[in-house]
Amino acid sequence: MKNILLYGGISKEEYDRVKQPVAQANHKSLLYWSVLVSFFWIYCLVMSMNAEDYAMCRPAYIVSLCLTVFSYLASRFVVARFPDMLNLFKFIFRLSLLGGGIGIAVCQWNLRSLTMFAVAIISPSIFVDSTFSSLAVHSCALVLYIILGRNTISPDIYSWGLGNYILFSVFGFLIGNAINRERFERYVFSESAKELADIQRRYAYYDQMTGLKNRRAYDEKLSWLAKNAPAEFCIVSADLNGLKKANDAIGHRAGDELITGAAECLSAAFEGIDTIYRTGGDEF
């Protein structure tokens, strides 16, 4: 249950692995959605000026538009410098979307059910996020509705809005949780695929005993030098004496220690100069 609420259905260890790419994806989503929703509120505001039926919704449009524009500007100029602020601006954006939707539902009778259903369902799925985050946003929107609506909305509309908002939010949580769990798992799979590719790359170009680059990497370096040779360069070739005697006399483990010891000596000697390759059994 803790993993479902706080980490999108994956473990904390997996969540920590994918936290960075998820944050980058959410930053892009905040930029995209804030622009899209800003145009929507502008359209609604223009519509309210040309249709008296929508005049009551005008304050909700204006406040939501201001908060959405603020979210865009913050995501564009603040999050780039202070990445930890992303969660705050995500919260503000989603709260403004829910608040605007509730405002429309309250003011415009023929859009009530559709609008409230849309914002309650869409909000939990906008970002790759945990159920707890969606719960916090919806709870704050519910508190605002209770505080602001109790003395300003007629009792029948107030009761209707309260019941439907809670009902639609439950549907939103269930749908959003399923979507986000799949998203998180996709990111975990992607990170695992990257790690596997790195391991395969290391096995392809590195000698497993010494940690040095192998003959394949050396041959590719020679091919590159054949086309991009600097004015001056030097290749130092060295091999170990006595490896066969060590293997025969005291065993292959001792021979392996001789090879790894030589690799450590060469790495220390050429540190900061260039790359060391193990090109054969006892050749470097």
Side-chain angles (χ1 to χ4, degrees):
M1 181 61 70
K2 179 181 177 182
N3 289 345
I4 291 173
L5 286 175
L6 299 179
Y7 308 114
I10 61 177
S11 67
K12 185 180 184 305
E13 291 74 19
E14 291 174 323
Y15 178 83
D16 289 337
R17 284 174 57 207
V18 300
K19 187 187 297 184
Q20 188 62 32
V22 165
Q24 293 172 352
N26 283 336
H27 188 198
K28 292 180 181 178
S29 295
L30 181 58
L31 285 168
Y32 170 79
W33 277 97
S34 57
V35 171
L36 183 66
V37 174
S38 292
F39 280 114
F40 172 74
W41 293 131
I42 291 172
Y43 167 77
C44 291
L45 190 58
V46 172
M47 182 178 63
S48 70
M49 295 177 180
N50 296 323
E52 285 300 320
D53 291 343
Y54 293 89
M56 291 180 61
C57 298
R58 200 171 299 158
Y61 298 148
I62 295 173
V63 173
S64 296
L65 176 61
C66 291
L67 289 174
T68 305
V69 171
F70 170 76
S71 298
Y72 170 78
L73 295 175
S75 64
R76 186 72 183 273
F77 300 107
V78 179
V79 174
R81 296 185 60 187
F82 306 100
D84 292 339
M85 299 288 286
L86 176 63
N87 287 332
L88 173 63
F89 298 128
K90 280 165 44 188
F91 181 87
I92 292 173
F93 172 75
R94 291 168 68 180
L95 189 60
S96 70
L97 180 63
L98 284 169
I102 292 172
I104 297 173
V106 169
C107 299
Q108 189 61 34
W109 65 270
N110 60 337
L111 297 175
R112 282 178 190 169
S113 296
L114 178 62
T115 304
M116 193 168 284
F117 180 78
V119 296
I121 295 296
I122 292 173
S123 176
S125 306
I126 290 177
F127 302 109
V128 185
D129 226 335
S130 65
T131 303
F132 178 79
S133 177
S134 298
L135 180 63
V137 176
H138 278 258
S139 298
C140 289
L142 179 61
V143 170
L144 287 175
Y145 176 80
I146 293 173
I147 294 173
L148 299 177
R150 182 178 293 274
N151 298 319
T152 57
I153 307 173
S154 61
D156 57 329
I157 296 178
Y158 177 81
S159 299
W160 170 90
L162 186 63
N164 279 273
Y165 177 77
I166 293 174
L167 178 64
F168 294 151
S169 292
V170 170
F171 284 116
F173 290 144
L174 295 175
I175 296 172
N177 180 67
I179 292 174
N180 281 308
R181 182 169 186 170
E182 183 180 346
R183 287 170 171 172
F184 274 117
E185 289 175 347
R186 198 181 309 150
Y187 275 98
V188 171
F189 175 80
S190 177
E191 287 299 305
S192 299
K194 289 179 183 176
E195 291 177 2
L196 178 60
D198 290 339
I199 292 172
Q200 291 174 333
R201 193 178 301 112
R202 185 164 184 83
Y203 271 96
Y205 290 99
Y206 284 83
D207 174 57
Q208 300 307 303
M209 180 187 296
T210 62
L212 302 178
K213 288 193 174 182
N214 60 17
R215 183 59 183 254
R216 179 178 181 179
Y218 176 67
D219 290 340
E220 290 191 8
K221 180 68 173 181
L222 288 182
S223 299
W224 183 88
L225 284 171
K227 301 175 182 177
N228 307 279
E232 296 180 355
F233 71 95
C234 176
I235 298 175
V236 178
S237 180
D239 67 88
L240 292 176
N241 290 331
L243 177 62
K244 186 176 186 305
K245 291 181 180 179
N247 285 332
D248 293 341
I250 50 179
H252 285 276
R253 180 173 296 180
D256 292 345
E257 291 179 1
L258 182 59
I259 292 171
T260 55
E264 291 172 2
C265 291
L266 289 170
S267 297
F270 286 87
E271 185 178 6
I273 300 175
D274 215 322
T275 305
I276 314 298
Y277 302 84
R278 184 188 178 198
T279 55
D282 61 352
E283 298 169 348
F284 298 87

